[in-house]
Amino acid sequence: MNAPQDFTLNLTRFIRAPREKVFDAFVDEAALSRWHCPRGMSVQSAVVDARVDGAWRIEMRTQGNANHSVGGRYREIKRAERLVYTWVWEQSVEGLAGMQTLIEIDFVARDGGTEIQMRHSGFPAEAARNGHGQGWNSVFNRLSDLLDERGTAASLVLLGEAASSYVRSARIGLAEKGLAYTFQRAMPHSPEIDAIHPFGKMPAFRDGTTELWETSAILRYIDEGFDGPSLNPGMVVDRARTETWVSAVGAYIYDAMVRRYVLQYVFPRGEGGTPDRVVIGKAATDMVRPLDALERCLQGRDFIGGAAPSYADILVTPILDYLGRFPEGGQLLSDRPNIRRALDNMRARPSFAAATAPHDATPGTQ
Ligand SMILES: N[C@@H](CCC(=O)N[C@@H](CS)C(=O)NCC(=O)O)C(=O)O
């Protein structure tokens, strides 16, 4: 009979903090309560008896109020150098309850910080091993938030150019959530962007080793993964309307208002380096329908999302802001008071100014 297969996860993660601090964060109840769960979850309790054979137990909760509890016993404790403990799920939504695994961690001082070298062994299947790999990366992002003096700017990196409307949207979202991040200057189709975005577009985004592309996905990730005001309305009808406009930006609005219109003024493609009037005329015609629909949507509302800015408001704002700077766009907006009012609501928010700041004026900028 074949012996059961053992799938092992080997992970290394650099945390810019002294070794003692990193080690202690693994065995201190108060610290564990602040970091030991993936983004979007919370630690309900952390109980630790940090001696060999002592037990530990952590209870985590998802946003949907599902409990995941895990515990085990310490096998080896050598402060600041090495920690070995068993890891047994008691309750977990992935059906892993009862699975017994082992964690061995070496803490290695390097480059003014600590490299966590982790071996998590005993998984019965590749899927369980890989799922834990993703989970640990997210959990280590939270450890970095806690211990690196840059806070979330140590793991959150937005890549792109400040002038891009989609990059501005991502920055508005980050500012609305009150998140520090690193803003790394990168052009579309540059190696940095291409390494993350399959179509070479900006923005691209990283949270530690998690890589994301598509602005609406980035906005959802920061919204659901972090505390702060929600960017998704509470009422289902408001959420559906928000989704409608998120989709409309990708399907109709960006193409007519930015790609075929604003960019025709900024990078003219007509004769003698002038804007191509035919392209502009056609784009201006194509803008009328979405603008009329948006004008109706904003009747009696301060934001597309309802009472507060939503993903949709955040995506639409930089586009309308650019649109109003050129003659046909300015005229179309001046005829639509609801859109102008909603745009002014967004422009008045500190997040709008924060997202307009150039690269070198952004806190945490590289
Ligand atoms: N659907 C993408 C669109 C991103 C996009 O089109 N970005 C523009 C800048 S605003 C870009 O990178 N353009 C360069 C190109 O298309 O080559 C998103 O939501 O992030």
Side-chain angles (χ1 to χ4, degrees):
M1 207 170 84
N2 290 340
Q5 258 192 299
D6 172 4
F7 293 89
T8 296
L9 175 69
N10 287 299
L11 263 182
T12 56
R13 177 67 186 254
F14 181 77
I15 303 283
R16 204 162 81 176
R19 209 155 64 124
E20 289 71 18
K21 266 190 143 178
V22 177
F23 181 94
D24 290 348
F26 276 78
V27 288
D28 178 85
E29 292 177 352
L32 285 165
S33 301
R34 295 179 63 191
W35 72 272
H36 202 288
C37 62
R39 293 242 190 261
M41 290 177 73
S42 56
V43 174
Q44 296 299 301
S45 71
V47 180
V48 161
D49 179 11
R51 56 201 165 116
V52 172
D53 244 6
W56 66 274
R57 185 175 184 278
I58 293 178
E59 199 171 306
M60 312 168 213
R61 189 165 290 173
T62 65
Q63 281 162 347
N65 281 336
N67 280 345
H68 294 224
S69 45
V70 63
R73 285 192 184 271
Y74 294 102
R75 292 265 180 84
E76 239 184 283
I77 301 181
K78 195 165 177 198
R79 182 166 185 254
E81 283 180 32
R82 186 167 160 84
L83 193 58
V84 179
Y85 51 103
T86 57
W87 173 282
V88 186
W89 282 110
E90 292 170 17
Q91 199 182 359
S92 114
V93 284
E94 283 96 17
L96 301 173
M99 185 184 71
Q100 307 230 4
T101 54
L102 182 73
I103 293 184
E104 297 159 89
I105 305 175
D106 289 299
F107 298 84
V108 178
R110 88 162 165 82
D111 303 331
T114 306
E115 186 168 275
I116 297 170
Q117 299 176 348
M118 174 189 256
R119 185 170 187 275
H120 192 164
S121 59
F123 294 107
E126 192 179 13
R129 190 258 319 268
N130 295 350
H132 279 73
Q134 180 177 294
W136 276 117
N137 281 319
S138 191
V139 173
F140 286 152
N141 289 340
R142 296 184 61 134
L143 178 63
S144 174
D145 294 351
L146 181 68
L147 297 184
D148 190 309
E149 61 188 20
R150 295 167 294 174
T152 52
S155 60
L156 299 184
V157 182
L158 182 73
L159 296 97
E161 285 293 310
S164 145
S165 63
Y166 280 114
V167 171
R168 284 177 71 191
S169 292
R171 295 178 76 194
I172 293 175
L174 286 156
E176 285 288 337
K177 294 296 283 188
L179 289 171
Y181 61 99
T182 297
F183 189 22
Q184 185 179 327
R185 187 163 212 166
M187 293 294 284
H189 312 290
S190 60
E192 296 81 4
I193 293 274
D194 281 347
I196 298 174
H197 201 305
F199 304 105
K201 302 203 182 239
M202 57 188 175
F205 187 73
R206 275 203 311 269
D207 181 12
T209 57
T210 301
E211 295 178 341
L212 295 175
W213 49 283
E214 287 298 297
T215 311
S216 62
I218 296 166
L219 290 173
R220 270 169 220 277
Y221 180 81
I222 59 171
D223 190 36
E224 293 178 20
F226 295 85
D227 295 339
S230 175
L231 307 179
N232 206 12
M235 298 285 286
V236 69
V237 184
D238 294 335
R239 280 205 297 278
R241 188 176 54 256
T242 294
E243 191 54 44
T244 301
W245 286 97
V246 167
S247 181
V249 166
Y252 324 106
I253 292 178
Y254 179 84
D255 181 60
M257 299 186 199
V258 179
R259 196 180 70 77
R260 292 192 281 124
Y261 181 71
V262 170
L263 293 181
Q264 186 58 232
Y265 276 108
V266 178
F267 305 111
R269 294 254 173 96
E271 235 171 273
T274 58
D276 186 327
R277 305 307 321 173
V278 176
V279 174
I280 286 188
K282 171 86 172 69
T285 303
D286 291 346
M287 289 176 210
V288 171
R289 246 206 283 188
L291 287 173
D292 281 345
L294 187 57
E295 179 68 6
R296 283 196 300 278
C297 162
L298 288 165
Q299 177 66 43
R301 269 189 198 107
D302 289 336
F303 301 96
I304 297 172
S310 67
Y311 306 129
D313 298 279
I314 290 171
L315 280 169
V316 151
T317 293
I319 296 176
L320 297 176
D321 180 55
Y322 279 140
L323 188 70
R325 299 184 194 188
F326 300 97
E328 300 80 359
Q331 184 59 51
L332 287 164
L333 291 189
S334 73
D335 295 343
R336 290 168 177 79
N338 295 335
I339 296 182
R340 278 206 323 274
R341 182 174 38 78
L343 182 55
D344 286 345
N345 287 339
M346 286 299 290
R347 280 186 177 137
R349 300 182 72 82
S351 62
F352 182 86
T356 315
H359 290 82
D360 56 8
T362 306
T365 292
Q366 274 191 339

